[in-house]
Amino acid sequence: MAPALCEAANMRDMQGRSVKGRTLWGTDIQPADANFRVLVVGGIHGDEMSSSSLVFHWIGLAQTPPSDMSLNIHWRFVPSLNPDGLFAKPSRRTNANGVDLNRNFPTPNWARDAKDYWETRTKRDPRRWPGNKPLSEPESRFLLEQMDSFKPNLIVSVHAPYGVLDFDGPSVPPSKLGRLYLDQVGIFPGSLGNYGGIHKRVPVVTIELPSASRMPQDAETRQMWMDLLRWTSERLGPSVTAATHSH
Protein backbone atom coordinates (compact mmCIF):
# COMPACT_ATOMS: atom_id res chain seq x y z
CA MET A 1 0.00 0.00 0.00
CA ALA A 2 1.52 3.31 -1.13
CA PRO A 3 1.68 6.27 1.27
CA ALA A 4 -0.18 8.34 -1.38
CA LEU A 5 -3.19 6.03 -1.01
CA CYS A 6 -3.26 6.69 2.73
CA GLU A 7 -2.88 10.45 2.26
CA ALA A 8 -5.66 10.56 -0.34
CA ALA A 9 -8.05 8.90 2.11
CA ASN A 10 -8.28 12.10 4.19
CA MET A 11 -8.46 10.26 7.49
CA ARG A 12 -9.83 12.07 10.52
CA ASP A 13 -9.60 11.37 14.22
CA MET A 14 -12.82 9.51 15.04
CA GLN A 15 -12.39 10.39 18.74
CA GLY A 16 -11.70 6.77 19.67
CA ARG A 17 -8.51 5.45 21.25
CA SER A 18 -6.94 2.02 21.51
CA VAL A 19 -5.78 0.49 24.79
CA LYS A 20 -2.37 2.10 24.24
CA GLY A 21 -3.90 5.46 23.31
CA ARG A 22 -3.49 5.19 19.54
CA THR A 23 -5.98 7.17 17.49
CA LEU A 24 -8.75 5.26 15.73
CA TRP A 25 -8.91 6.86 12.29
CA GLY A 26 -11.78 6.89 9.83
CA THR A 27 -13.21 8.77 6.90
CA ASP A 28 -16.65 9.52 5.47
CA ILE A 29 -17.58 9.73 1.81
CA GLN A 30 -21.02 11.24 1.63
CA PRO A 31 -22.95 12.41 -1.44
CA ALA A 32 -25.35 15.28 -0.80
CA ASP A 33 -28.46 13.15 -1.31
CA ALA A 34 -27.24 9.98 0.45
CA ASN A 35 -30.09 7.58 1.24
CA PHE A 36 -28.14 4.57 2.53
CA ARG A 37 -25.35 4.15 5.10
CA VAL A 38 -22.58 1.55 4.99
CA LEU A 39 -19.93 1.04 7.68
CA VAL A 40 -16.74 -0.70 6.48
CA VAL A 41 -14.30 -1.97 9.12
CA GLY A 42 -10.86 -3.49 8.63
CA GLY A 43 -8.12 -4.64 10.96
CA ILE A 44 -10.30 -5.97 13.79
CA HIS A 45 -7.50 -8.52 14.03
CA GLY A 46 -4.14 -6.74 13.93
CA ASP A 47 -2.29 -9.51 12.09
CA GLU A 48 -4.66 -9.38 9.09
CA MET A 49 -2.83 -6.52 7.35
CA SER A 50 -4.48 -7.04 3.97
CA SER A 51 -7.87 -6.25 5.51
CA SER A 52 -6.75 -2.70 6.38
CA SER A 53 -5.13 -2.26 2.96
CA LEU A 54 -8.31 -3.34 1.16
CA VAL A 55 -10.31 -0.70 3.04
CA PHE A 56 -7.87 2.01 1.89
CA HIS A 57 -8.17 0.81 -1.72
CA TRP A 58 -11.96 0.85 -1.44
CA ILE A 59 -11.91 4.42 -0.08
CA GLY A 60 -10.30 5.39 -3.39
CA LEU A 61 -13.00 3.55 -5.35
CA ALA A 62 -15.81 5.07 -3.28
CA GLN A 63 -14.68 8.55 -4.30
CA THR A 64 -15.92 7.93 -7.85
CA PRO A 65 -19.23 6.04 -7.57
CA PRO A 66 -20.74 4.48 -10.72
CA SER A 67 -23.47 6.62 -12.28
CA ASP A 68 -26.00 3.80 -12.65
CA MET A 69 -26.44 3.11 -8.93
CA SER A 70 -29.95 3.29 -7.49
CA LEU A 71 -28.47 4.06 -4.06
CA ASN A 72 -26.55 7.12 -2.98
CA ILE A 73 -24.37 5.67 -0.27
CA HIS A 74 -22.88 7.47 2.71
CA TRP A 75 -19.76 5.40 3.42
CA ARG A 76 -17.91 5.36 6.70
CA PHE A 77 -14.56 3.58 6.61
CA VAL A 78 -12.49 2.51 9.64
CA PRO A 79 -9.43 0.78 8.16
CA SER A 80 -7.79 -0.38 11.39
CA LEU A 81 -9.90 -1.00 14.48
CA ASN A 82 -6.98 -2.65 16.28
CA PRO A 83 -3.86 -0.49 15.71
CA ASP A 84 -2.13 -1.88 18.82
CA GLY A 85 -2.30 -5.38 17.33
CA LEU A 86 -1.22 -4.10 13.92
CA PHE A 87 1.85 -2.23 15.24
CA ALA A 88 2.95 -4.94 17.69
CA LYS A 89 6.18 -6.70 16.75
CA PRO A 90 5.25 -9.13 15.35
CA SER A 91 1.68 -7.99 14.67
CA ARG A 92 -0.95 -9.94 16.59
CA ARG A 93 -4.60 -10.88 16.31
CA THR A 94 -5.62 -9.59 19.73
CA ASN A 95 -5.54 -6.05 21.11
CA ALA A 96 -2.99 -4.83 23.70
CA ASN A 97 -5.00 -6.50 26.48
CA GLY A 98 -4.84 -9.84 24.69
CA VAL A 99 -8.55 -9.77 23.80
CA ASP A 100 -9.95 -10.97 20.47
CA LEU A 101 -12.13 -7.95 19.63
CA ASN A 102 -14.31 -10.10 17.37
CA ARG A 103 -15.47 -12.07 20.41
CA ASN A 104 -16.05 -9.02 22.66
CA PHE A 105 -19.40 -7.75 21.36
CA PRO A 106 -22.47 -8.04 23.63
CA THR A 107 -24.34 -10.90 21.99
CA PRO A 108 -27.23 -12.41 23.97
CA ASN A 109 -26.03 -14.97 26.54
CA TRP A 110 -22.44 -13.77 26.13
CA ALA A 111 -21.61 -14.52 29.77
CA ARG A 112 -22.74 -18.11 29.35
CA ASP A 113 -21.57 -18.80 25.79
CA ALA A 114 -18.35 -16.88 25.16
CA LYS A 115 -16.23 -18.45 27.89
CA ASP A 116 -17.65 -21.91 27.23
CA TYR A 117 -16.92 -21.60 23.51
CA TRP A 118 -13.39 -20.40 24.25
CA GLU A 119 -12.70 -23.28 26.64
CA THR A 120 -14.34 -26.15 24.76
CA ARG A 121 -14.11 -25.18 21.07
CA THR A 122 -10.82 -23.27 20.96
CA LYS A 123 -9.14 -25.19 23.81
CA ARG A 124 -8.36 -21.85 25.51
CA ASP A 125 -6.55 -20.49 22.46
CA PRO A 126 -5.06 -17.18 23.72
CA ARG A 127 -5.56 -15.69 20.24
CA ARG A 128 -9.31 -16.07 20.72
CA TRP A 129 -9.74 -14.92 24.31
CA PRO A 130 -13.11 -13.06 24.44
CA GLY A 131 -12.24 -10.93 27.48
CA ASN A 132 -13.74 -10.95 30.97
CA LYS A 133 -16.97 -9.27 29.90
CA PRO A 134 -18.52 -7.95 26.69
CA LEU A 135 -17.33 -4.49 25.61
CA SER A 136 -14.44 -4.68 28.06
CA GLU A 137 -12.23 -3.12 25.37
CA PRO A 138 -12.14 0.50 24.17
CA GLU A 139 -11.94 -0.61 20.53
CA SER A 140 -15.11 -2.71 20.67
CA ARG A 141 -16.89 0.07 22.60
CA PHE A 142 -15.83 2.52 19.90
CA LEU A 143 -17.30 0.34 17.15
CA LEU A 144 -20.54 -0.07 19.08
CA GLU A 145 -20.77 3.72 19.45
CA GLN A 146 -20.24 4.04 15.70
CA MET A 147 -23.08 1.61 15.06
CA ASP A 148 -25.38 3.47 17.43
CA SER A 149 -24.63 6.96 16.10
CA PHE A 150 -24.08 6.27 12.38
CA LYS A 151 -26.93 3.70 12.22
CA PRO A 152 -25.59 1.78 9.22
CA ASN A 153 -27.97 -0.08 6.89
CA LEU A 154 -25.10 -2.48 6.14
CA ILE A 155 -21.83 -3.40 7.86
CA VAL A 156 -18.88 -4.80 5.93
CA SER A 157 -16.18 -6.40 8.07
CA VAL A 158 -12.91 -7.31 6.32
CA HIS A 159 -10.73 -10.16 7.58
CA ALA A 160 -8.21 -12.73 6.28
CA PRO A 161 -6.99 -15.43 5.48
CA TYR A 162 -9.80 -17.96 4.86
CA GLY A 163 -10.70 -16.85 1.33
CA VAL A 164 -14.47 -16.99 1.78
CA LEU A 165 -17.48 -14.76 2.17
CA ASP A 166 -19.68 -14.93 5.28
CA PHE A 167 -23.00 -13.26 6.03
CA ASP A 168 -25.22 -12.70 9.06
CA GLY A 169 -28.59 -11.05 9.40
CA PRO A 170 -31.63 -10.22 7.29
CA SER A 171 -31.64 -10.13 3.45
CA VAL A 172 -30.43 -12.57 0.83
CA PRO A 173 -26.63 -12.80 1.16
CA PRO A 174 -24.34 -12.06 -1.77
CA SER A 175 -23.41 -15.33 -3.47
CA LYS A 176 -19.92 -14.07 -4.25
CA LEU A 177 -17.67 -11.01 -4.21
CA GLY A 178 -14.96 -11.35 -6.82
CA ARG A 179 -13.52 -14.83 -6.33
CA LEU A 180 -14.81 -15.17 -2.79
CA TYR A 181 -17.85 -17.43 -2.55
CA LEU A 182 -20.43 -17.53 0.20
CA ASP A 183 -19.63 -20.09 2.90
CA GLN A 184 -21.47 -19.30 6.10
CA VAL A 185 -19.04 -20.49 8.72
CA GLY A 186 -21.30 -20.41 11.77
CA ILE A 187 -22.27 -18.18 14.67
CA PHE A 188 -19.63 -17.18 17.20
CA PRO A 189 -20.47 -15.74 20.64
CA GLY A 190 -19.37 -12.11 20.80
CA SER A 191 -18.62 -11.70 17.09
CA LEU A 192 -19.56 -8.60 15.13
CA GLY A 193 -21.55 -10.70 12.67
CA ASN A 194 -23.55 -12.28 15.49
CA TYR A 195 -24.11 -8.98 17.29
CA GLY A 196 -24.84 -6.82 14.24
CA GLY A 197 -26.52 -9.33 11.97
CA ILE A 198 -28.43 -11.64 14.29
CA HIS A 199 -29.07 -9.44 17.32
CA LYS A 200 -29.37 -5.93 15.83
CA ARG A 201 -30.79 -7.08 12.47
CA VAL A 202 -28.29 -5.10 10.42
CA PRO A 203 -26.88 -7.18 7.55
CA VAL A 204 -23.18 -7.95 8.12
CA VAL A 205 -21.03 -9.04 5.18
CA THR A 206 -17.78 -10.59 6.43
CA ILE A 207 -15.04 -10.75 3.82
CA GLU A 208 -12.20 -13.21 4.40
CA LEU A 209 -9.38 -12.36 2.01
CA PRO A 210 -7.19 -15.29 0.88
CA SER A 211 -3.99 -13.90 2.43
CA ALA A 212 -3.36 -11.87 5.58
CA SER A 213 -0.13 -10.34 4.21
CA ARG A 214 -0.78 -10.02 0.47
CA MET A 215 -3.41 -7.82 -1.16
CA PRO A 216 -5.54 -9.19 -4.02
CA GLN A 217 -4.67 -7.81 -7.48
CA ASP A 218 -6.13 -4.41 -8.31
CA ALA A 219 -8.60 -5.94 -10.78
CA GLU A 220 -9.80 -8.37 -8.12
CA THR A 221 -10.10 -5.58 -5.52
CA ARG A 222 -12.26 -3.60 -7.95
CA GLN A 223 -14.37 -6.64 -8.89
CA MET A 224 -15.17 -7.33 -5.24
CA TRP A 225 -16.15 -3.67 -4.85
CA MET A 226 -18.41 -3.71 -7.92
CA ASP A 227 -20.04 -6.97 -6.79
CA LEU A 228 -20.67 -5.45 -3.36
CA LEU A 229 -22.26 -2.35 -4.94
CA ARG A 230 -24.43 -4.44 -7.25
CA TRP A 231 -25.67 -6.68 -4.47
CA THR A 232 -26.32 -3.73 -2.15
CA SER A 233 -28.27 -1.93 -4.85
CA GLU A 234 -30.31 -4.99 -5.91
CA ARG A 235 -30.96 -6.62 -2.54
CA LEU A 236 -30.89 -3.83 0.03
CA GLY A 237 -31.84 -0.87 -2.16
CA PRO A 238 -35.51 -1.78 -2.72
CA SER A 239 -36.22 -2.02 1.02
CA VAL A 240 -34.69 1.43 1.56
CA THR A 241 -36.69 2.93 -1.31
CA ALA A 242 -39.89 1.37 0.04
CA ALA A 243 -39.18 2.70 3.52
CA THR A 244 -38.52 6.18 2.14
CA HIS A 245 -41.82 6.20 0.24
CA SER A 246 -43.83 4.94 3.21
CA HIS A 247 -42.87 7.90 5.42
Side-chain angles (χ1 to χ4, degrees):
M1 200 186 103
L5 191 67
C6 188
E7 287 160 13
N10 293 319
M11 288 283 132
R12 65 183 171 92
D13 181 345
M14 301 292 284
Q15 305 303 312
R17 295 292 180 269
S18 69
V19 170
K20 291 193 166 180
R22 287 188 170 96
T23 300
L24 299 179
W25 298 96
T27 194
D28 283 71
I29 295 175
Q30 180 178 8
D33 49 355
N35 55 0
F36 196 83
R37 293 175 304 281
V38 182
L39 177 62
V40 183
V41 185
I44 290 178
H45 296 136
D47 58 357
E48 297 168 6
M49 282 81 84
S50 59
S51 72
S52 294
S53 296
L54 184 84
V55 175
F56 276 106
H57 282 268
W58 278 8
I59 291 168
L61 293 172
Q63 288 165 348
T64 51
S67 55
D68 57 347
M69 277 279 289
S70 62
L71 292 177
N72 286 317
I73 298 175
H74 177 181
W75 298 94
R76 178 163 294 173
F77 295 95
V78 179
S80 179
L81 185 70
N82 179 9
D84 293 347
L86 175 65
F87 289 113
K89 300 258 188 283
S91 62
R92 49 192 261 177
R93 176 184 173 97
T94 58
N95 76 346
N97 287 335
V99 172
D100 181 344
L101 297 175
N102 205 32
R103 299 292 181 269
N104 195 239
F105 293 98
T107 50
N109 302 317
W110 188 97
R112 183 193 70 197
D113 296 343
K115 192 158 181 281
D116 179 64
Y117 185 94
W118 180 66
E119 289 175 348
T120 57
R121 297 289 293 276
T122 80
K123 306 288 186 261
R124 295 174 169 264
D125 180 354
R127 285 166 39 82
R128 288 171 173 76
W129 164 238
N132 287 313
K133 62 179 185 183
L135 299 178
S136 59
E137 304 311 300
E139 299 93 345
S140 47
R141 290 196 297 273
F142 164 81
L143 194 59
L144 195 79
E145 287 158 11
Q146 290 296 311
M147 291 168 67
D148 288 345
S149 59
F150 183 58
K151 297 184 167 42
N153 303 103
L154 168 67
I155 297 168
V156 181
S157 178
V158 190
H159 290 265
Y162 295 108
V164 296
L165 188 61
D166 196 7
F167 182 82
D168 296 286
S171 170
V172 177
S175 57
K176 71 183 188 76
L177 296 184
R179 293 183 203 168
L180 304 181
Y181 283 86
L182 185 70
D183 180 10
Q184 289 173 280
V185 293
I187 306 292
F188 301 102
S191 74
L192 178 59
N194 184 342
Y195 177 72
I198 308 300
H199 182 52
K200 300 291 274 187
R201 307 296 293 161
V202 177
V204 179
V205 170
T206 302
I207 291 170
E208 281 276 355
L209 296 171
S211 165
S213 55
R214 273 206 330 276
M215 267 289 291
Q217 300 284 340
D218 283 353
E220 178 70 7
T221 298
R222 177 178 286 276
Q223 187 61 56
M224 290 166 64
W225 173 253
M226 295 306 294
D227 288 348
L228 177 69
L229 288 184
R230 192 175 302 115
W231 170 78
T232 304
S233 187
E234 289 172 3
R235 289 296 180 186
L236 304 183
S239 61
V240 170
T241 314
T244 310
H245 289 165
S246 65
H247 284 299

